[in-house]
Amino acid sequence: MTTAAPPLIRQRVEPAAARASQLWKVYGSGEAQVTALRGVDVELERGRFTAIMGPSGSGKSTLMHCLAGLDAVSRGQVFVGDTEVTGLNDAGLTRLRREKIGFIFQQFNLLPTLTAQENILLPLAIAGRKPDQQWFRTVIDTVGLGDRLGHRPSQLSGGQQQRVACARALVSRPEVVFADEPTGNLDSRSGAEVLGFLRRSVTEYGQTIVMVTHDAVAASYADRVVFLADGQIVAELTGPTPERVLDTLKSLDRPAPLETEL
Amino acid sequence: MLRATIKSLLARKLRLVLSGLAVLLGVMFVSGSFVLTDALGRSFDNMFSSAMAETDVLVTARPAIDVSEMEGESVPGTLAAADRDAVAAVPGVAEVVADVQADGARVIGKDGKVVASFGPPRFGANWTGETGGLELREGRGPAAADEIAINVTLAELSKLKVGDRVGVLTTQPKKMFTLVGIFGYEGGLPGQGPVHEVRFTEAVAQELMLGAPGAYTSLSVTAAPGTDPAALRDAIQSRLGDRYTVQTGQEAGAAIAGEFKTILSLFNNILLGFAGVALFVGTFLILNTFSIIVAQRTRELALSRALGASRRQVIGSVMVEALAIGLLASVLGLAAGVGVGALLAKFAADFSSIVLASISVPLAAVISAFAVGIGVTVIAALLPAVRASRVPPVAALQEVATPDRPLTRLTVSGAVIGALGAGAIAFGLATTGDAVMWLLLGGVLATFIGVSLLSPVLARPVVSVLGRLFSWSVPGRLGRLNSGRNPRRTAITAAALMVGVALITGVNTTISSADNSLRGDAETGFQADLIISGQESPGVLPTFDEALLPRMRAVPGIGTVTARYADQAMVGEQPNWAAAFTDLPAVVRDLSVVTVAGTLDQPGPGEVVVDDQNAAEAGVAVGGTVTVKLPKGEPTTYRVSGVYQRTPFLGGYLFGTGVVPGMRFPQPSLAYVRLADGADADAARQGLEALLVDSPEMLVEDKQQYLDRVLGEGAQLLLMIQILLGLAIVIAVLGVINTLALSVLERTRELGLLRAIGLSRAATMRMITVEAVVITVFGVLLGVAVGVGLGAAVVQGLADEGLKTLTVPWNAIALYLAAGVALGVLAAALPAIRASRINILTAIAHD
Ligand SMILES: Nc1ncnc2c1ncn2[C@@H]1O[C@H](COP(=O)(O)OP(=O)(O)OP(=O)(O)O)[C@@H](O)[C@H]1O
Ligand SMILES: [Mg+2]
């Protein structure tokens, strides 16, 4: 990249994998108006595993959707790499999703008509790119699905399905992988497999991952935890352990003095 | 959750609307046909009763040749002047007007061409003054032999003016007349219906139209004041005897109107047949819709069963829904049918210049609308309802609501029903009698049902093969996989399309086989270089002056000219065709006719040559005798001197030219021309055309042109059938839209996921389109296969009629496939747009 980066970014040594500034999200209007995000500033460093936590309804999913360009923002800016997401049209968003972003949803990640392998390779096929065979093998080996690649989703367990979804998100080496409660539907053992895999992909391959979770144990796999409450970032932890995460969450449960401040 | 519920409700509404629309269209077709034919029928009633208003009693001769409407035109008999005098002498008769009227008076317009009629007769008649509602609009009635008057209809079409010199073709070659008058009818009408009318003086009309001086076609009697028409009718009948039909004016009007109504009801039946096809296709759509609704409601139904609902109650709940849709569709369809029928009736009345009777809704339309609308819906919903009642209560607790049921039973029953259908068709084609029609209809219906039942099994392999064509792109591959996902649904959607396509292909295969057989025969057998002939229409056989024959033969380059005279004839008690040739051996040579028995020399007086099929049917052989009555002749016995093999170009009873005076058109209607060796074909042809300047209907054509024109009629028939089957195709396309809309709804989450991992809008639309195209192409392929099969069966069955080889219309089939692709793209449009607009977030949240 030789073109001049936007002024905000030029000051940094390495641009963040994704970043939001003064992000507002308002749903509906009039009586039914809900403000899900109130001026969030957040930066997700490259090659790190960030967890987003917070009470239900605090705006975690909304933040992630806005960061990933799945939802339009009301005010503010979002960057993924050096691309400004806010202001892209549908074609631009489609390209962004193909080239820079990977997704893992809580459930229903796979197309029932395709085999596990076809599902994993689907984003590349859609983008018309050739898979990097070596990387593909690495991903498959890390996920540990070698012998189930020919199976359809209905023939796989929930944990296996989520691992396939992880492999799919990683195979195109996206700038960021967004995962919204990827282990929410899994028992603790399957959840641990998936989380272990995500952790390894960050440590060993330098993947950037953002994960929303309610589970303190899951959050402890991350490098950093960002806490949301009422649409604002209220706390942050680096090098989290389950105990510290739980403590922080408890402290958030106390009525926040935000309303009175504003 | 609420959003999802509302969404699925809305989606279901769309589906109900689409399937209701299918019933509605079918019902509209049915009731529209009834309204149309009813209005036209009553219009004819009014027209003829007003035409007969001044006539108390009408006397006509029994037809010389009586054939039903199916087989051709009847040839009217004639009355003599003595009959008129006899009637005039009956007490109570105030006045007798003797009418001469026959079809076949063709006026040559300003452009030198015959003024065309699109089927209605072109009457030549005698001038009887302003009687029977006739009103002079301009000029006067003809008084001299070279004067005519014409009706306004004809005057407007021909642009002729009073004072013009006009050429008229009748049973005689062209004669010139001065147009002295233009007339219309009471009520400002340009004519009695769409007919063209030329009025001559009586003697000229008798000479030219009947070829019989002193002959009349009917006597219109006015009763003396105080005389009852019915009593007068009986008096006249007893005076004249049985040779004549005597009717009161009212009866006669009703009788003529009745003939028209016979044609109308035939027409109505044809329309109803096509409506039936459309409804049959609609049945598939409804069946599919209810199957889907039941599948979607499985958990709900299971829950109600768990809470104690009986099977009957479950069936009832589905049937009530069907009943409601059927009822609504019937009401709306009836209303639409009345509208469409009225519109078409108005259009038809304007086109044929008759006064349209008021539009009413005949009881038949109402009854059939409701019977058909509700019946079809309820029958189609029955199967899904029964399936609903079989849902076990535990299904309420299961995650996977509808397991993939095996297709074995469906396949076996499909094979059995299909085989029964094919058997019925084969049997129907092999036998004769009244049962044939029902056997064929039932056979075709059973074949359709059988193939439909088999189609789910076929869907998987066919779809996977078809899908390979699209698999080069990811959306194409996904689309293909999706269409293979629910073989039943794909199959029934495709089967609906199959019905229309199969019928069209079947008709096309039959017509092109006939076409090709004829061309093949012509290729080998037709030795004539040129053919002189004209376009025949009911009641009119275009002819040319026989005095031209010697001059034709004298044209440089012409070898032989063999003329044919033709008419209908009664052979024994059966109507048949008679032809006379100037030189039968020349025809035998020109058409490569094969001798079966006896000789094919020129028949002498009292001799006849007959084709093998007629000989077999009449049970005569060489040396045997047949009694033949020509329209203007007396029954005469002929000895069979030869039997020939019938060809598509030559059939019937063949005579020498001695019989020509008994024919209505005693002039040649066709001639085979052979050129001399080394002749300049173009010059010879121009020479012939120059001689035929006074016979503008006659064409001089080479073999190719002649065949193209004769076979062109088949192409027109095909076009008509395709248009009428269009509705069935439209309904089938509604079914495709329905299925796709459902697929989109069911796979909302998948679509959201695909969009989330980078599938563009355009690619999403492509995916849905491929799914649609795979379904429609599958339907067209099924239809083509069944259609070619039906065509082959018909060709086999008609082998006796000269259909020798099966010709598969590949070009048309390629066109149908292309149309299938186009229909698929069309049907996909809305669902695809909907799919591409899916909001990724809501789609993912959807459950
Ligand atoms: N489409 C929408 N329309 C209106 N309000 C919405 C919509 N989506 C989310 N919200 C509201 O925005 C707020 C934040 O929602 P969000 O889904 O981001 O919460 P969350 O932190 O992900 O909660 P959870 O932990 O329960 O998933 C909530 O108050 C929610 O009601
Ligand atoms: Mg959430």
Side-chain angles (χ1 to χ4, degrees):
Chain A
M1 278 279 157
T2 49
T3 48
L8 272 171
I9 289 185
R10 207 185 305 149
Q11 303 160 3
R12 295 165 201 280
V13 181
E14 179 165 22
R19 164 170 91 71
S21 67
Q22 277 308 302
L23 192 59
W24 286 75
K25 176 70 191 178
V26 182
Y27 287 110
S29 59
E31 295 272 310
Q33 186 166 321
V34 179
T35 307
L37 297 176
R38 310 168 181 268
V40 174
D41 283 301
V42 69
E43 196 158 305
L44 305 161
E45 297 89 345
R46 211 170 273 280
R48 293 191 74 184
F49 189 170
T50 311
I52 302 177
M53 296 199 80
S56 198
S58 57
K60 303 182 295 292
S61 296
T62 306
L63 175 62
M64 212 183 72
H65 292 154
C66 288
L67 285 171
L70 285 176
D71 211 350
V73 307
S74 303
R75 195 142 36 97
Q77 279 179 309
V78 173
F79 290 89
V80 168
D82 48 12
T83 311
E84 182 173 352
V85 175
T86 36
L88 283 179
N89 61 9
D90 184 72
L93 287 172
T94 300
R95 202 162 344 105
L96 180 83
R97 291 199 283 269
R98 280 183 186 178
E99 291 166 4
K100 305 214 161 150
I101 290 176
F103 283 108
I104 305 164
F105 299 111
Q106 183 171 355
Q107 55 180 345
F108 198 78
N109 265 298
L110 308 176
L111 286 201
T113 47
L114 301 182
T115 62
Q117 167 155 1
E118 288 169 327
N119 263 298
I120 294 172
L121 293 175
L122 189 59
L124 292 175
I126 285 174
R129 284 197 272 152
K130 282 252 168 316
D132 173 345
Q133 279 306 329
Q134 207 186 333
W135 177 239
F136 175 65
R137 291 253 57 99
T138 312
V139 169
I140 297 302
D141 290 344
T142 324
V143 188
L145 278 168
D147 52 339
R148 314 299 303 264
L149 285 179
H151 290 174
R152 287 179 200 283
S154 56
Q155 298 162 321
L156 298 174
S157 75
Q160 286 166 335
Q161 286 182 33
Q162 282 309 76
R163 271 147 62 196
V164 172
C166 294
R168 188 197 58 206
L170 291 171
V171 80
S172 58
R173 297 184 195 257
E175 200 110 359
V176 200
V177 169
F178 291 101
D180 193 351
E181 303 187 45
T183 57
N185 272 15
L186 302 180
D187 64 36
S188 54
R189 207 174 67 100
S190 309
E193 283 174 7
V194 170
L195 289 163
F197 170 65
L198 291 178
R199 179 67 251 173
R200 227 169 323 133
S201 65
V202 173
T203 318
E204 291 174 22
Y205 311 115
Q207 182 64 54
T208 312
I209 295 180
V210 182
M211 171 179 79
V212 168
T213 184
H214 278 285
D215 179 4
V217 178
S220 69
Y221 281 79
D223 299 312
R224 170 185 172 213
V225 183
V226 173
F227 293 89
L228 271 182
D230 268 339
Q232 284 179 317
I233 293 181
V234 289
E236 209 183 308
L237 272 180
T238 32
T241 61
E243 296 72 31
R244 288 179 61 204
V245 171
L246 282 174
D247 289 342
T248 316
L249 280 175
K250 266 187 211 121
S251 70
L252 292 180
D253 271 347
R254 269 177 262 125
L258 291 166
E259 304 287 332
T260 45
E261 260 177 43
L262 282 171
Chain B
M1 188 61 216
L2 182 68
R3 193 189 301 174
T5 313
I6 292 170
K7 250 189 168 168
S8 92
L9 247 160
L10 276 176
R12 209 165 111 201
K13 199 171 74 188
L14 173 77
R15 208 159 315 124
L16 293 179
V17 164
L18 277 172
S19 40
L21 197 61
V23 184
L24 189 152
L25 287 175
V27 170
M28 182 185 85
F29 204 150
V30 170
S31 50
S33 307
F34 277 113
V35 170
L36 171 66
T37 46
D38 166 78
L40 290 183
R42 277 179 303 108
S43 306
F44 282 125
D45 272 343
N46 294 349
M47 183 173 95
F48 291 110
S49 67
S50 75
M52 288 290 160
E54 287 179 25
T55 303
D56 291 313
V57 176
L58 187 77
V59 183
T60 50
R62 292 224 182 279
I65 292 178
D66 198 2
V67 290
S68 74
E69 289 297 344
M70 295 288 277
E71 296 168 79
E73 299 278 298
S74 304
V75 176
T78 56
L79 301 110
D83 298 318
R84 180 190 59 194
D85 299 339
V87 171
V90 173
V93 172
E95 198 197 349
V96 181
V97 176
D99 309 299
V100 178
Q101 189 192 53
D103 195 357
R106 291 97 73 203
V107 165
I108 298 173
K110 288 248 160 94
D111 56 356
K113 294 210 177 75
V114 165
V115 179
S117 127
F118 298 97
R122 291 172 281 187
F123 284 131
N126 60 335
W127 179 257
T128 52
E130 293 186 284
T131 55
L134 185 148
E135 293 169 348
L136 260 176
R137 296 278 157 77
E138 228 180 291
R140 57 179 174 81
D146 69 340
E147 292 178 347
I148 54 166
I150 61 176
N151 70 355
V152 174
T153 310
L154 183 52
E156 281 173 355
L157 276 173
S158 64
K159 311 259 187 316
L160 290 169
K161 301 263 176 307
V162 169
D164 284 347
R165 290 289 285 172
V166 185
V168 181
L169 302 166
T170 56
T171 63
Q172 304 278 324
K174 178 175 134 180
K175 294 255 184 324
M176 295 303 293
F177 296 89
T178 304
L179 179 60
V180 297
I182 293 171
F183 60 90
Y185 285 85
E186 265 173 9
L189 292 178
Q192 286 179 311
V195 298
H196 301 184
E197 243 187 307
V198 181
R199 298 265 185 161
F200 308 91
T201 57
E202 184 172 286
V204 173
Q206 289 168 330
E207 171 64 28
L208 296 186
M209 298 315 303
L210 305 179
Y216 298 99
T217 47
S218 65
L219 305 173
S220 302
V221 179
T222 313
T227 309
D228 173 39
L232 189 60
R233 172 197 63 198
D234 295 343
I236 294 172
Q237 184 81 71
S238 66
R239 170 68 63 92
L240 288 177
D242 272 352
R243 275 186 56 222
Y244 301 96
T245 307
V246 185
Q247 295 164 302
T248 63
Q250 264 180 344
E251 289 168 347
I256 307 174
E259 283 173 25
F260 276 85
K261 285 203 238 173
T262 314
I263 302 174
L264 274 178
S265 79
L266 192 72
F267 174 63
N268 193 20
N269 285 344
I270 292 173
L271 288 182
L272 290 180
F274 284 102
V277 174
L279 282 162
F280 181 60
V281 173
T283 312
F284 283 72
L285 181 48
I286 298 163
L287 182 71
N288 212 6
T289 301
F290 275 92
S291 303
I292 291 162
I293 291 175
V294 166
Q296 285 182 334
R297 278 170 53 191
T298 302
R299 283 182 120 173
E300 190 186 313
L301 292 166
L303 188 65
S304 69
R305 291 275 283 138
L307 297 178
S310 71
R311 284 197 165 179
R312 289 258 295 276
Q313 280 169 316
V314 170
I315 294 182
S317 79
V318 176
M319 293 316 276
V320 162
E321 199 163 357
L323 208 64
I325 293 175
L327 196 67
L328 192 69
S330 299
V331 171
L332 294 178
L334 179 61
V338 172
V340 168
L343 211 69
L344 287 177
K346 173 149 175 27
F347 193 67
D350 284 352
F351 184 70
S352 52
S353 58
I354 59 174
V355 179
L356 186 60
S358 63
I359 298 292
S360 71
V361 184
L363 194 62
V366 179
I367 293 175
S368 58
F370 284 97
V372 157
I374 296 175
V376 160
T377 321
V378 166
I379 288 172
L382 207 57
L383 217 68
V386 170
R387 200 175 306 144
S389 75
R390 300 237 174 93
V391 171
V394 287
L397 313 170
Q398 285 164 352
E399 184 58 37
V400 182
T402 39
D404 226 5
R405 285 159 297 146
L407 300 170
T408 331
R409 245 178 54 195
L410 214 58
T411 308
V412 169
S413 49
V416 169
I417 293 175
L420 281 176
I425 294 173
F427 187 61
L429 286 170
T431 51
T432 49
D434 293 341
V436 171
M437 175 99 161
W438 295 111
L439 274 170
L440 291 182
L441 270 178
V444 171
L445 200 69
T447 307
F448 282 153
I449 295 174
V451 174
S452 307
L453 291 176
L454 283 174
S455 57
V457 171
L458 298 174
R460 242 190 261 273
V462 174
V463 162
S464 88
V465 169
L466 271 184
R468 305 260 173 249
L469 296 176
F470 301 105
S471 289
W472 47 266
S473 76
V474 177
R477 216 172 103 64
L478 293 173
R480 174 200 116 202
L481 288 172
N482 285 341
S483 43
R485 245 156 117 165
N486 198 328
R488 276 165 207 265
R489 202 189 288 163
T490 301
I492 202 163
T493 312
L497 191 58
M498 163 198 77
V499 174
V501 175
L503 289 174
I504 292 176
T505 309
V507 172
N508 200 339
T509 304
T510 309
I511 288 180
S512 44
S513 298
D515 197 300
N516 241 23
S517 303
L518 211 57
R519 279 183 200 275
D521 285 337
E523 213 53 60
T524 53
F526 222 96
Q527 306 293 332
D529 297 308
L530 296 172
I531 301 100
I532 301 172
S533 66
Q535 185 69 50
E536 289 177 31
S537 56
V540 180
L541 191 60
T543 55
F544 61 95
D545 191 348
E546 63 184 351
L548 291 175
L549 288 172
R551 293 171 60 194
M552 287 178 169
R553 294 186 181 114
V555 169
I558 298 292
T560 58
V561 178
T562 314
R564 185 204 74 181
Y565 304 74
D567 205 342
Q568 285 171 270
M570 292 300 285
V571 178
E573 299 297 313
Q574 296 298 318
N576 213 308
W577 288 94
F581 285 99
T582 53
D583 183 0
L584 185 58
V587 175
V588 168
R589 191 194 60 216
D590 287 349
L591 301 183
S592 312
V593 178
V594 175
T595 311
V596 173
T599 74
L600 301 186
D601 292 342
Q602 177 72 356
E607 286 185 334
V608 64
V609 168
V610 60
D611 70 88
D612 47 357
Q613 282 177 34
N614 268 309
E617 269 167 41
V620 291
V622 172
T625 58
V626 288
T627 304
V628 178
K629 183 192 178 307
L630 285 159
K632 281 159 57 187
E634 293 302 318
T636 311
T637 303
Y638 295 87
R639 197 182 64 83
V640 176
S641 61
V643 176
Y644 64 96
Q645 199 174 69
R646 185 181 186 137
T647 78
F649 303 101
L650 192 68
Y653 290 79
L654 312 181
F655 300 87
T657 48
V659 301
V660 170
M663 294 177 171
R664 278 171 300 164
F665 293 83
Q667 300 289 338
S669 52
L670 185 144
Y672 297 112
V673 179
R674 286 286 268 306
L675 298 177
D677 287 338
D680 177 349
D682 286 340
R685 185 171 174 161
Q686 278 158 18
L688 292 176
E689 281 169 348
L691 286 175
L692 288 165
V693 64
D694 280 341
S695 308
E697 292 160 306
M698 302 310 285
L699 302 164
V700 183
E701 296 166 311
D702 63 22
K703 192 161 79 180
Q704 203 55 47
Q705 292 167 321
Y706 176 71
L707 287 175
D708 285 347
R709 184 169 57 84
V710 173
L711 298 175
E713 290 165 33
Q716 273 179 4
L717 178 73
L718 185 63
L719 187 70
M720 272 302 290
I721 291 175
Q722 284 172 344
I723 289 172
L724 285 169
L725 284 172
L727 188 64
I729 305 269
V730 167
I731 291 181
V733 170
L734 286 182
V736 178
I737 297 177
N738 193 8
T739 296
L740 286 176
L742 182 74
S743 299
V744 170
L745 185 87
E746 279 183 345
R747 303 196 200 119
T748 305
R749 284 209 298 193
E750 266 174 68
L751 289 164
L753 177 68
L754 281 167
R755 294 274 289 130
I757 61 175
L759 197 69
S760 68
R761 278 209 174 132
T764 311
M765 290 175 71
R766 267 210 307 285
M767 179 177 81
I768 305 289
T769 306
V770 165
E771 187 177 350
V773 170
V774 166
I775 294 176
T776 52
V777 170
F778 177 43
V780 172
L781 282 177
L782 276 180
V784 163
V786 174
V788 169
L790 289 178
V794 172
V795 169
Q796 196 73 56
L798 294 182
D800 287 351
E801 304 286 326
L803 260 66
K804 296 198 178 66
T805 49
L806 174 69
T807 308
V808 179
W810 292 115
N811 287 345
I813 287 174
L815 202 72
Y816 298 158
L817 279 172
V821 173
L823 285 180
V825 172
L826 196 76
L830 276 176
I833 289 173
R834 200 162 150 179
S836 75
R837 295 252 172 91
I838 274 179
N839 180 312
I840 300 175
L841 285 179
T842 24
I844 292 164
H846 188 280
D847 84 314

